Amino acid sequence: MNNDEQELLLLATLEQMQEQLLTILERLLVGFHTESPPARNTNELQLYLKETLEKLDFTVETAPFYRQDTLLWATKEGTDTEHYQSLIWNGHVDVAALESLANCRPIRLSW
């Protein structure tokens, strides 16, 4: 499968799973209160991510990080060693507190 075919397959899959993906994003983006300040409040979200990834057969590890935060990393080994590719997901789960809605405007997510 060449790159163009892979891209088309990915886009088709994203479109097919759009509602499921938007539900997950909504849960992650607004379902957990991880504002900073006050910060140190991501344990509940990290537990949700851990349980979700384990259901997808990822090997998940965690480590304490401050009093109310947890570091999380997950791996899922490939099975096709000839075409093995890796995915690294790196980021943070806290968000900056919003001081005012005056400069905000709603957005509509679409593929």
Short mmCIF file of all heavy atoms in Angstrom, two decimals, residues 28-46 68-69 92-97:
data_model
loop_
_atom_site.label_atom_id
_atom_site.label_comp_id
_atom_site.label_asym_id
_atom_site.label_seq_id
_atom_site.Cartn_x
_atom_site.Cartn_y
_atom_site.Cartn_z
N LEU A 28 -12.46 13.89 26.99
CA LEU A 28 -11.12 14.27 27.43
C LEU A 28 -10.97 15.77 27.58
O LEU A 28 -10.30 16.25 28.48
CB LEU A 28 -10.06 13.74 26.46
CG LEU A 28 -9.91 12.22 26.41
CD1 LEU A 28 -8.90 11.84 25.34
CD2 LEU A 28 -9.50 11.67 27.75
N LEU A 29 -11.56 16.53 26.64
CA LEU A 29 -11.33 17.97 26.65
C LEU A 29 -12.17 18.70 27.68
O LEU A 29 -11.74 19.70 28.23
CB LEU A 29 -11.60 18.55 25.26
CG LEU A 29 -10.60 18.11 24.18
CD1 LEU A 29 -11.04 18.65 22.82
CD2 LEU A 29 -9.21 18.60 24.51
N VAL A 30 -13.37 18.26 27.93
CA VAL A 30 -14.22 19.00 28.85
C VAL A 30 -14.76 18.16 29.99
O VAL A 30 -15.36 18.69 30.92
CB VAL A 30 -15.40 19.68 28.12
CG1 VAL A 30 -14.90 20.69 27.12
CG2 VAL A 30 -16.30 18.66 27.45
N GLY A 31 -14.57 16.87 29.95
CA GLY A 31 -15.12 16.00 30.98
C GLY A 31 -14.31 15.95 32.25
O GLY A 31 -14.79 15.53 33.29
N PHE A 32 -13.07 16.36 32.18
CA PHE A 32 -12.20 16.34 33.35
C PHE A 32 -11.73 17.76 33.63
O PHE A 32 -11.34 18.49 32.72
CB PHE A 32 -10.98 15.44 33.10
CG PHE A 32 -11.34 13.99 32.97
CD1 PHE A 32 -11.60 13.44 31.73
CD2 PHE A 32 -11.44 13.19 34.09
CE1 PHE A 32 -11.95 12.11 31.61
CE2 PHE A 32 -11.78 11.86 33.98
CZ PHE A 32 -12.04 11.31 32.74
N HIS A 33 -11.74 18.13 34.89
CA HIS A 33 -11.31 19.47 35.28
C HIS A 33 -9.83 19.43 35.64
O HIS A 33 -9.45 19.02 36.73
CB HIS A 33 -12.16 19.99 36.45
CG HIS A 33 -13.61 20.07 36.10
ND1 HIS A 33 -14.12 21.07 35.31
CD2 HIS A 33 -14.63 19.24 36.37
CE1 HIS A 33 -15.40 20.87 35.13
NE2 HIS A 33 -15.75 19.77 35.76
N THR A 34 -9.01 19.85 34.67
CA THR A 34 -7.55 19.81 34.86
C THR A 34 -6.94 21.20 34.69
O THR A 34 -5.85 21.35 34.17
CB THR A 34 -6.91 18.83 33.85
OG1 THR A 34 -7.21 19.27 32.53
CG2 THR A 34 -7.41 17.42 34.06
N GLU A 35 -7.69 22.21 35.14
CA GLU A 35 -7.22 23.58 34.98
C GLU A 35 -5.96 23.83 35.79
O GLU A 35 -5.76 23.29 36.85
CB GLU A 35 -8.30 24.59 35.42
CG GLU A 35 -9.56 24.55 34.64
CD GLU A 35 -10.56 23.54 35.18
OE1 GLU A 35 -10.28 22.91 36.22
OE2 GLU A 35 -11.61 23.37 34.56
N SER A 36 -5.15 24.71 35.22
CA SER A 36 -3.94 25.15 35.90
C SER A 36 -3.85 26.66 35.76
O SER A 36 -3.72 27.14 34.63
CB SER A 36 -2.72 24.50 35.26
OG SER A 36 -1.54 24.93 35.90
N PRO A 37 -3.95 27.42 36.86
CA PRO A 37 -4.07 26.95 38.22
C PRO A 37 -5.47 26.39 38.51
O PRO A 37 -6.37 26.71 37.79
CB PRO A 37 -3.78 28.19 39.05
CG PRO A 37 -4.13 29.35 38.16
CD PRO A 37 -3.92 28.87 36.76
N PRO A 38 -5.62 25.56 39.51
CA PRO A 38 -4.70 25.24 40.59
C PRO A 38 -3.68 24.16 40.25
O PRO A 38 -2.70 24.03 40.96
CB PRO A 38 -5.63 24.75 41.70
CG PRO A 38 -6.76 24.11 40.98
CD PRO A 38 -6.93 24.91 39.71
N ALA A 39 -3.91 23.37 39.20
CA ALA A 39 -2.98 22.30 38.80
C ALA A 39 -3.01 21.15 39.80
O ALA A 39 -3.78 21.15 40.75
CB ALA A 39 -1.57 22.81 38.59
N ARG A 40 -2.14 20.18 39.56
CA ARG A 40 -2.03 18.98 40.38
C ARG A 40 -3.40 18.32 40.54
O ARG A 40 -3.85 18.04 41.65
CB ARG A 40 -1.42 19.30 41.75
CG ARG A 40 -0.10 20.00 41.65
CD ARG A 40 0.93 19.15 40.88
NE ARG A 40 2.06 19.96 40.48
CZ ARG A 40 2.45 20.13 39.20
NH1 ARG A 40 1.83 19.53 38.22
NH2 ARG A 40 3.46 20.87 38.91
N ASN A 41 -4.07 18.09 39.39
CA ASN A 41 -5.43 17.57 39.43
C ASN A 41 -5.72 16.63 38.25
O ASN A 41 -6.83 16.60 37.74
CB ASN A 41 -6.42 18.75 39.41
CG ASN A 41 -6.13 19.73 38.29
OD1 ASN A 41 -5.37 19.44 37.37
ND2 ASN A 41 -6.74 20.89 38.36
N THR A 42 -4.73 15.87 37.81
CA THR A 42 -4.91 15.05 36.60
C THR A 42 -5.08 13.56 36.88
O THR A 42 -5.22 12.78 35.94
CB THR A 42 -3.72 15.24 35.64
OG1 THR A 42 -2.53 14.72 36.25
CG2 THR A 42 -3.53 16.69 35.25
N ASN A 43 -5.09 13.13 38.13
CA ASN A 43 -5.17 11.70 38.43
C ASN A 43 -6.40 11.04 37.83
O ASN A 43 -6.30 9.94 37.27
CB ASN A 43 -5.14 11.46 39.94
CG ASN A 43 -3.74 11.51 40.50
OD1 ASN A 43 -2.76 11.40 39.78
ND2 ASN A 43 -3.64 11.68 41.80
N GLU A 44 -7.55 11.67 37.92
CA GLU A 44 -8.78 11.07 37.40
C GLU A 44 -8.69 10.88 35.88
O GLU A 44 -9.06 9.83 35.35
CB GLU A 44 -9.99 11.94 37.75
CG GLU A 44 -11.31 11.33 37.34
CD GLU A 44 -12.50 12.22 37.68
OE1 GLU A 44 -12.33 13.28 38.32
OE2 GLU A 44 -13.60 11.85 37.26
N LEU A 45 -8.19 11.87 35.17
CA LEU A 45 -8.03 11.76 33.73
C LEU A 45 -7.00 10.69 33.37
O LEU A 45 -7.21 9.88 32.46
CB LEU A 45 -7.64 13.11 33.13
CG LEU A 45 -7.25 13.11 31.65
CD1 LEU A 45 -8.32 12.48 30.78
CD2 LEU A 45 -6.94 14.52 31.19
N GLN A 46 -5.89 10.65 34.08
CA GLN A 46 -4.87 9.65 33.80
C GLN A 46 -5.41 8.24 34.03
O GLN A 46 -5.10 7.31 33.27
CB GLN A 46 -3.61 9.90 34.63
CG GLN A 46 -2.92 11.21 34.34
CD GLN A 46 -2.21 11.25 32.99
OE1 GLN A 46 -2.61 10.64 32.03
NE2 GLN A 46 -1.12 11.99 32.95
N GLN A 68 -1.11 15.09 43.24
CA GLN A 68 -2.36 14.82 42.55
C GLN A 68 -2.17 14.56 41.06
O GLN A 68 -3.11 14.70 40.30
CB GLN A 68 -3.33 16.00 42.74
CG GLN A 68 -3.77 16.23 44.16
CD GLN A 68 -4.67 15.12 44.66
OE1 GLN A 68 -5.45 14.55 43.91
NE2 GLN A 68 -4.56 14.79 45.93
N ASP A 69 -0.97 14.23 40.65
CA ASP A 69 -0.70 13.97 39.24
C ASP A 69 -0.02 12.62 39.09
O ASP A 69 0.68 12.15 39.99
CB ASP A 69 0.22 15.05 38.64
CG ASP A 69 -0.49 16.36 38.38
OD1 ASP A 69 -1.68 16.32 38.05
OD2 ASP A 69 0.16 17.40 38.49
N HIS A 92 0.64 16.79 27.41
CA HIS A 92 0.25 17.00 28.80
C HIS A 92 -1.27 17.11 28.85
O HIS A 92 -1.91 17.38 27.84
CB HIS A 92 0.92 18.25 29.40
CG HIS A 92 0.59 19.51 28.68
ND1 HIS A 92 -0.48 20.30 29.02
CD2 HIS A 92 1.18 20.11 27.62
CE1 HIS A 92 -0.54 21.34 28.20
NE2 HIS A 92 0.46 21.25 27.34
N VAL A 93 -1.83 16.87 30.01
CA VAL A 93 -3.29 16.82 30.11
C VAL A 93 -3.90 17.95 30.91
O VAL A 93 -5.11 18.03 31.03
CB VAL A 93 -3.76 15.45 30.68
CG1 VAL A 93 -3.41 14.33 29.74
CG2 VAL A 93 -3.17 15.21 32.06
N ASP A 94 -3.08 18.84 31.44
CA ASP A 94 -3.67 19.99 32.12
C ASP A 94 -3.90 21.10 31.11
O ASP A 94 -3.33 21.10 30.02
CB ASP A 94 -2.78 20.47 33.27
CG ASP A 94 -1.42 20.97 32.80
OD1 ASP A 94 -0.88 20.38 31.86
OD2 ASP A 94 -0.93 21.95 33.36
N VAL A 95 -4.79 22.00 31.44
CA VAL A 95 -5.12 23.12 30.55
C VAL A 95 -5.02 24.43 31.32
O VAL A 95 -5.20 24.47 32.53
CB VAL A 95 -6.55 22.98 29.96
CG1 VAL A 95 -6.64 21.76 29.07
CG2 VAL A 95 -7.60 22.92 31.05
N ALA A 96 -4.73 25.50 30.60
CA ALA A 96 -4.68 26.82 31.22
C ALA A 96 -6.10 27.28 31.53
O ALA A 96 -7.02 27.08 30.74
CB ALA A 96 -4.00 27.81 30.28
N ALA A 97 -6.27 27.87 32.69
CA ALA A 97 -7.59 28.38 33.09
C ALA A 97 -7.99 29.52 32.17
O ALA A 97 -7.18 30.37 31.80
CB ALA A 97 -7.55 28.85 34.53
#
